[in-house]
Amino acid sequence: MKKLIMTLGLALLIAGCNATTPSKPMSLKEQYEAKLAATQAAVEKAASVEGEWRDIRWKKSKKKYLPSAIKAAEAGDYEKALKLLDIAEFQAKMGYQQAMAEKNAGPHLYGM
Amino acid sequence: MKKIVTLLLSAGLVATATQAFSSPQEDLQKFRTYFEQKFPGMKLDDFGNGSYALDESKRIQWESMEEFPPYDEFVDKGREIWEKPFKNGKSFASCFGSDPSKVRVKYPHWDSKTQQVVTLEGDINKCLKENGEKPFGWKKGPIAWLSAFFGYEARGQKINVKIPNDPKALEAYEHGRHFFYAKRGQLNMACADCHVKYPGHFIRGNLLSTALGQTTHFPVYRAKWAKKSKDGDGMGTLHRRYGGCNKQVRARPFKAQSKVYRDLEFFHQYMSNGLTINAPGYRE
């Protein structure tokens, strides 16, 4: 009986420790770094199929979401950077999907 | 049952393959027929006048502009570039031959040695480099002036692009064709949406022109470009226009003279084979 109580106690202790020490949340900077890498990969993927959209990083775009995000992060505004990266990544993914959907585009689609 | 399914699938595959790999000649025939049916009664060469062939009042305005065309001074500048010798004593004639009226009709063409599409602007800069001169910028300024001069000298001749029966040349043609028909950018629009499906319709204040005949009048003098320029130079190359179109549908433009745009030009110019060169043109 004593052994059983001790085992249960130990089990509860371990469970309790696990519950009270959750994995350390990512800092904004870490979130930004992870998001930046994912966005850059998505942009390159879209570009590889000629599907990149205008406002992601083109130098003459007024928006330039990706460079603007990097600029915001350099100024320490990670929240703004993450918001901009969200847009850039979404546009990159859409550009890739669009290029894939248009793989078989041709005159037959225009009644020729 | 299994046989029927196999047969249907084979038929489907054959049909798809036929659609995807139609020959340039077949494409040209269908392209021409499509526009002739869309605009019945319009003369073939009139397609080279772009939107001015589609709207009477715009045509009147354009004809009055053509009485004293704003591109004239840039054709003259192009002539001066043509005549000016390089530092080594040679001139553009050493690359293009002595008759400037025979230059424009040779472009674009397939170069079997380099396995790529060669454009007029590409060869202008190649000639400069080979003669130890600094190459021109790709989209406007001297390159457009000299190209306009070649176009002006070639007026009255027919576009005659040849697509050789070389797998790589056909691949380049197919790449250009695919680019033309594929939707792109945030607005999800293809070149063909505006210039095959909706020519004659307005997009904001602009009347859309037909893809047939679009290349006959390039390079062009655009009033819009002249307005942007400090010195009123509205001249620009075909690739400058491609970049502008891609930008307008919110796709990232490719670089002028990139493989993508050279292949697009190969297809685009070929589709206007048989039309009379009337470059340079004036556009809004």
Side-chain angles (χ1 to χ4, degrees), chain B residues 86-186:
Chain B
F86 301 138
K87 283 176 209 133
N88 64 8
K90 290 184 183 176
S91 70
F92 278 104
S94 66
C95 303
F96 292 102
S98 57
D99 185 351
S101 72
K102 290 182 179 158
V103 176
R104 164 68 190 261
V105 285
K106 294 177 191 163
Y107 295 92
H109 65 254
W110 178 253
D111 183 352
S112 54
K113 277 185 195 164
T114 58
Q115 295 278 288
Q116 60 180 0
V117 175
V118 176
T119 62
L120 174 56
E121 286 79 12
D123 264 3
I124 288 174
N125 270 350
K126 189 179 166 210
C127 183
L128 286 169
K129 278 189 217 165
E130 282 173 355
N131 285 285
E133 299 282 327
K134 194 182 165 201
F136 297 144
W138 286 119
K139 294 191 283 191
K140 55 186 178 180
I143 205 160
W145 307 340
L146 182 55
S147 184
F149 167 66
F150 286 139
Y152 187 79
E153 289 291 311
R155 275 187 174 185
Q157 297 174 56
K158 307 278 184 196
I159 290 188
N160 185 25
V161 178
K162 293 181 180 82
I163 314 282
N165 194 18
D166 169 337
K168 286 283 178 190
L170 291 168
E171 203 179 282
Y173 167 84
E174 168 63 28
H175 181 217
R177 188 180 75 160
H178 175 261
F179 190 93
F180 182 82
Y181 288 103
K183 292 177 189 291
R184 63 190 65 253
Q186 201 178 359

Side-chain angles (χ1 to χ4, degrees), chain A residues 43 46 50-67 91-92 95 98, chain B residues 184-187 204 243-254:
Chain A
V43 174
E50 298 171 357
E52 189 179 330
W53 288 4
R54 184 189 67 184
D55 295 329
I56 299 176
R57 61 176 176 177
W58 183 49
K59 63 179 178 182
K60 288 185 183 171
S61 161
K62 285 175 188 163
K63 289 165 184 153
K64 287 193 279 282
Y65 294 115
L66 184 55
Q91 291 206 354
Q98 180 186 51
Chain B
R184 63 190 65 253
Q186 201 178 359
L187 301 190
R204 291 189 176 167
C245 284
N246 283 168
K247 192 180 83 177
Q248 282 169 330
V249 300
R250 298 185 194 168
R252 181 181 179 163
F254 291 83

Side-chain angles (χ1 to χ4, degrees), chain B residues 69-83:
Chain B
Y71 51 73
D72 259 1
E73 67 170 290
F74 302 104
V75 172
D76 288 341
K77 284 184 174 185
R79 190 187 307 276
E80 283 166 24
I81 294 170
W82 169 256
E83 287 167 354

Side-chain angles (χ1 to χ4, degrees), chain A residues 10-94:
Chain A
L10 196 63
L12 282 170
L13 193 69
I14 291 167
C17 279
N18 278 344
T20 52
T21 54
S23 57
K24 195 180 156 197
M26 280 171 93
S27 68
L28 275 176
K29 190 183 176 199
E30 285 166 334
Q31 284 178 48
Y32 161 75
E33 281 163 357
K35 185 84 175 167
L36 178 65
T39 304
Q40 283 171 331
V43 174
E44 291 308 328
K45 196 174 168 186
S48 73
V49 291
E50 298 171 357
E52 189 179 330
W53 288 4
R54 184 189 67 184
D55 295 329
I56 299 176
R57 61 176 176 177
W58 183 49
K59 63 179 178 182
K60 288 185 183 171
S61 161
K62 285 175 188 163
K63 289 165 184 153
K64 287 193 279 282
Y65 294 115
L66 184 55
S68 302
I70 294 169
K71 214 173 166 184
E74 280 168 357
D77 192 347
Y78 291 109
E79 278 185 21
K80 184 181 174 186
L82 281 164
K83 276 181 192 167
L84 291 168
L85 285 180
D86 267 343
I87 302 170
E89 189 183 25
F90 173 77
Q91 291 206 354
K93 284 181 175 171
M94 289 299 104

